[in-house]
Amino acid sequence: GKWKNKERVLIFSSRGINFRTRHLMQDLRTLMPHSKADTKMDRKDQLFVINEVCEMKNCNKCIFFEAKKKQDLYMWLSNTPQGPSAKFLVQNIHTLAELKMTGNCLRGSRPLLSFDPIFDKEPHYALLKELFIQIFSTPQYHPKSQPFVDHVFTFTVTDERIWFRNYQIIEEDASLVEIGPRFVLNLIKIFQGSFGGPTLYENPHYQSPNMHRRLIRLSVAAKFREKQQVKEVQKIKKKGSKVLIEEDPTEVVFETPAEEKPVEIQLVKPESKPIVKDKKKLRKIQRKKQKKLFRTE
Amino acid sequence: QDGLKRCLSEFKQQLAWVERLDVTSGQVVDPVSQSASNKDAIDPENDFQREMSFYRQAQAAVLEALPRLRKLQVPTRRPDDYFAEMAKSDQQMQKIRQKLKSKQEAMERSEKAKQLRAMRKYGKKVQTEILQRRQKEKKNMLNAVKKYQKGLSDKLDFLDEEQSSSQGNKKGSASQRIKKGPNAKRRYKNQKFGFGGKKKGSKWNTKESFNDVSSFRSKVAHNKGPGKAGKGGKKALNKRPGKRARQKMKSRAR
């Protein structure tokens, strides 16, 4: 057949990415035969330079990985000439090379894309779905593609994030094995233009990683400060405010010295007290006796 | 929001499904766990549940898409003779297989060790039983030898027990008489005290011996049964009068 759908995706990154991101990028390049690679972009260039790079490479889609502070990874998905673009925070990256993922697929085989029903419910999710479809689906009859459909990408929305998984189809009865890679996308913003333009949507649930770390630090500091405060309060309590009561001169009136008791020397051993095994019973008997007396009185 | 919709409508491509191969579906209804309608109840923190939900979603998509693909004559199964480059290199797959194998081996090893331990315990028990049985046999054998030495049984049948009692009845009658040999009482005492002398540490009164009422004869105890002489004789001899009565009798007799 003839290759009609001329989609080309440019996958590249900025500088300062760590090994995991690099491997993820490479994995995406192997999985998508309609992708092209490019060198790392310098940080000082503006983002709209990317559009020019894409045009030079004759690509109409782009996946750009941006690493900040050597910790946070952001991913841009964009339709380069004029289309929408989206920025995500990427978390929980597992690459193809991980030994726990035992599946394998043909290099360049076309994927099946599976979406959550939630993608049809909200307009921003619908837009994202369209973006994903256009970027991730391999065009039919692409020269580097294999004609078989033997793996499936799943995009699921859980916990306000988009989870990506890649499974190999083993049997026709839909028994699957995970191939990898896997990652989680946290949507930040959707822009109308490519790498710029007015903001179409901003994710209210998104919290920047800086903010997240700051909150953790603050909570730890708050705990510590609370402990200090409690200690201070205890110190103050211990120290002062022992209220001194004045001596009352009229108290002496009530003082009556007690009579001196004669000194008694015991010569005979006192009778041993009967061992009471059941005090309650004894008490009961006593009470009954008292009642009797009371009645006879 | 309208901007989004507008943008989407501009951006959307009208391609044949074959190009896109996208499926939006719920999940395969699992008879064990919740159905697709309770999907919101899935706790994202529960890793297993979450992954299973992804898996089920993928399954549903596959089940929906494969028939469509087949109708469109897009091949889905790779023929066995089709060799092409895979996404993961063969080396990688080899590593994965090694890891799986090693895990399985480790598990098997631990299972084997557990079984071995159990077997050893059982073996020890069996061994002690066997030893005890051997000692008992040895004791019996020695007793039988002693008996023969004492002349009670002239048959050497303890040497090989397989020999059946095919000695004939003549000898049988003689041996029978000798078999009866000592009195029942004597036999009992012999068994108890044995030829090797008093048995070490055998208690007089144990729970078992106390509870053992096999030698209790009700008629004897209550003086109910017929006397030794049969009819006519009273069994006054069995019922021994008490000490006082005996003394009185003695004094009266004097």
Side-chain angles (χ1 to χ4, degrees):
Chain A
K2 190 125 171 20
W3 173 34
K4 282 189 219 131
N5 182 13
K6 304 283 170 92
E7 286 286 344
R8 270 178 278 259
V9 183
L10 184 65
I11 306 184
F12 71 122
S13 74
S14 72
R15 306 193 72 195
I17 52 175
N18 64 353
F19 67 96
R20 218 186 287 273
T21 320
R22 201 168 13 95
H23 280 277
L24 178 65
M25 217 166 54
Q26 282 173 353
D27 294 341
L28 283 178
R29 282 187 200 143
T30 41
L31 285 177
M32 294 163 41
H34 56 293
S35 64
K36 283 201 184 153
D38 196 19
T39 54
K40 292 190 199 144
M41 187 188 85
D42 223 352
R43 200 85 56 79
K44 52 180 171 19
D45 298 330
Q46 306 280 15
L47 281 176
F48 56 76
V49 168
I50 301 182
N51 293 326
E52 294 174 10
V53 174
C54 283
E55 208 186 301
M56 278 204 300
K57 287 262 173 167
N58 195 14
C59 294
N60 58 353
K61 295 283 184 306
C62 176
I63 301 181
F64 176 63
F65 289 100
E66 191 181 351
K68 287 253 168 82
K69 279 189 173 187
K70 295 197 186 162
Q71 278 171 354
D72 315 321
L73 178 69
Y74 298 100
M75 180 162 107
W76 289 87
L77 289 180
S78 147
N79 178 25
T80 26
Q82 75 278 40
S85 54
K87 184 176 181 187
F88 300 92
L89 174 71
V90 189
Q91 292 166 320
N92 289 8
I93 302 176
H94 294 263
T95 58
L96 268 182
E98 300 216 349
L99 290 175
K100 296 234 167 148
M101 310 209 221
T102 49
N104 201 356
C105 65
L106 282 173
R107 184 178 262 218
S109 64
R110 301 182 58 210
L112 204 54
L113 300 168
S114 159
F115 291 94
D116 213 358
I118 299 182
F119 275 101
D120 287 333
K121 291 197 188 140
E122 309 263 328
H124 61 271
Y125 280 137
L127 183 57
L128 284 179
K129 177 177 163 182
E130 191 57 39
L131 203 57
F132 287 142
I133 292 173
Q134 290 190 14
I135 289 181
F136 285 104
S137 58
T138 308
Q140 208 181 14
Y141 310 122
H142 190 280
K144 283 198 209 155
S145 71
Q146 304 282 357
F148 305 104
V149 175
D150 65 351
H151 63 292
V152 51
F153 289 164
T154 57
F155 297 86
T156 323
V157 177
T158 315
D159 191 28
E160 317 293 339
R161 295 179 171 85
I162 303 174
W163 301 69
F164 172 88
R165 295 281 180 277
N166 179 13
Y167 295 100
Q168 175 195 10
I169 305 170
I170 303 181
E171 288 293 325
E172 302 281 297
D173 68 347
S175 57
L176 308 167
V177 177
E178 187 158 358
I179 310 171
R182 42 154 96 170
F183 48 88
V184 177
L185 298 174
N186 207 346
L187 174 67
I188 305 175
K189 277 190 185 175
I190 305 183
F191 301 99
Q192 193 179 20
S194 164
F195 293 103
T199 313
L200 288 173
Y201 179 77
E202 194 174 335
N203 187 4
H205 308 279
Y206 170 70
Q207 191 190 57
S208 95
N210 275 338
M211 192 61 66
H212 185 71
R213 287 188 279 262
R214 182 163 181 267
L215 283 179
I216 292 176
R217 253 182 290 137
L218 280 180
S219 72
V220 169
K223 242 196 263 177
F224 182 67
R225 221 177 292 137
E226 217 184 286
K227 273 198 211 158
Q228 296 279 52
Q229 279 183 351
V230 167
K231 273 198 198 158
E232 298 269 307
V233 166
Q234 277 186 344
K235 249 196 230 170
I236 291 171
K237 264 198 208 166
K238 265 197 209 167
K239 252 198 230 174
S241 76
K242 279 207 188 126
V243 180
L244 271 176
I245 310 173
E246 283 181 3
E247 224 180 276
D248 193 3
T250 52
E251 255 187 24
V252 191
V253 176
F254 293 105
E255 272 178 31
T256 38
E259 278 182 23
E260 258 196 47
K261 261 196 190 168
V263 176
E264 219 184 272
I265 306 169
Q266 277 190 347
L267 295 165
V268 185
K269 183 175 157 187
E271 273 181 37
S272 59
K273 197 170 120 182
I275 303 165
V276 176
K277 285 212 170 152
D278 200 347
K279 283 192 190 159
K280 276 193 199 164
K281 216 171 181 181
L282 192 68
R283 189 83 193 93
K284 211 172 173 185
I285 298 167
Q286 282 184 358
R287 254 186 286 145
K288 278 203 175 153
K289 275 197 204 150
Q290 280 193 3
K291 266 194 196 164
K292 248 194 190 165
L293 280 173
F294 184 69
R295 241 180 276 151
T296 53
E297 270 175 24
Chain B
Q1 249 204 12
D2 306 324
L4 275 173
K5 296 203 180 115
R6 214 182 343 115
C7 187
L8 175 59
S9 55
E10 284 175 9
F11 176 57
K12 217 173 186 163
Q13 280 175 346
Q14 300 301 335
L15 287 171
W17 181 79
V18 156
E19 280 293 332
R20 293 141 53 92
L21 291 182
D22 70 309
V23 180
T24 308
S25 56
Q27 298 170 3
V28 171
V29 175
D30 202 6
V32 178
S33 67
Q34 319 131 324
S35 62
S37 56
N38 309 24
K39 199 188 147 314
D40 311 56
I42 289 176
D43 175 25
E45 303 292 328
N46 183 348
D47 291 337
F48 182 69
Q49 211 180 18
R50 193 185 59 212
E51 297 299 323
M52 281 316 289
S53 77
F54 298 158
Y55 187 85
R56 266 178 273 129
Q57 187 193 320
Q59 274 188 325
V62 166
L63 288 173
E64 202 184 306
L66 282 182
R68 281 173 81 174
L69 284 172
R70 239 171 275 144
K71 254 195 286 180
L72 295 165
Q73 278 148 12
V74 176
T76 50
R77 274 191 72 244
R78 188 164 69 105
D80 292 322
D81 55 354
Y82 190 95
F83 290 117
E85 200 180 351
M86 307 286 276
K88 291 192 199 171
S89 68
D90 284 336
Q91 209 184 33
Q92 178 73 5
M93 295 311 284
Q94 192 70 340
K95 251 197 258 180
I96 292 173
R97 249 170 267 150
Q98 272 294 87
K99 187 123 195 277
L100 280 177
K101 222 197 309 184
S102 67
K103 261 200 213 164
Q104 200 158 8
E105 270 171 18
M107 214 169 60
E108 269 173 27
R109 232 177 289 148
S110 74
E111 279 290 326
K112 234 190 278 182
K114 248 187 262 175
Q115 272 188 2
L116 222 85
R117 260 179 274 142
M119 284 257 297
R120 238 180 265 158
K121 235 187 183 178
Y122 178 70
K124 182 95 180 175
K125 201 163 46 134
V126 166
Q127 197 184 37
T128 52
E129 270 177 29
I130 288 177
L131 282 176
Q132 279 181 357
R133 197 169 9 114
R134 270 196 220 142
Q135 281 188 347
K136 232 185 276 179
E137 275 184 23
K138 181 177 173 187
K139 190 176 68 172
N140 287 343
M141 180 72 92
L142 284 179
N143 283 348
V145 168
K146 277 191 190 135
K147 265 197 226 170
Y148 172 66
Q149 282 180 346
K150 294 253 173 169
L152 292 164
S153 50
D154 62 349
K155 269 204 290 190
L156 286 166
D157 59 347
F158 55 84
L159 275 180
D160 49 359
E161 287 146 356
E162 286 102 352
Q163 225 182 33
S164 54
S165 56
S166 60
Q167 297 291 333
N169 271 336
K170 274 198 198 161
K171 277 199 181 157
S173 62
S175 67
Q176 248 183 14
R177 236 185 295 133
I178 298 169
K179 234 201 207 171
K180 248 191 209 154
N183 212 353
K185 184 177 170 187
R186 188 70 255 167
R187 260 189 291 141
Y188 163 74
K189 288 218 170 166
N190 283 347
Q191 186 238 324
K192 198 161 178 191
F193 301 104
F195 288 101
K198 204 168 190 170
K199 291 206 177 64
K200 248 207 257 182
S202 59
K203 292 196 221 171
W204 280 102
N205 269 337
T206 61
K207 197 187 208 178
E208 286 86 17
S209 79
F210 185 79
N211 290 338
D212 178 30
V213 287
S214 55
S215 56
F216 175 79
R217 305 269 172 264
S218 157
K219 294 197 174 166
V220 169
H222 298 293
N223 199 15
K224 284 278 199 277
K228 255 194 267 181
K231 274 196 233 174
K234 253 212 162 151
K235 284 250 330 203
L237 292 158
N238 228 8
K239 191 91 173 157
R240 186 166 172 248
K243 184 173 176 181
R244 275 300 276 159
R246 274 183 281 130
Q247 279 183 349
K248 272 194 199 158
M249 282 187 345
K250 210 162 54 169
S251 64
R252 218 176 282 159
R254 273 234 218 108

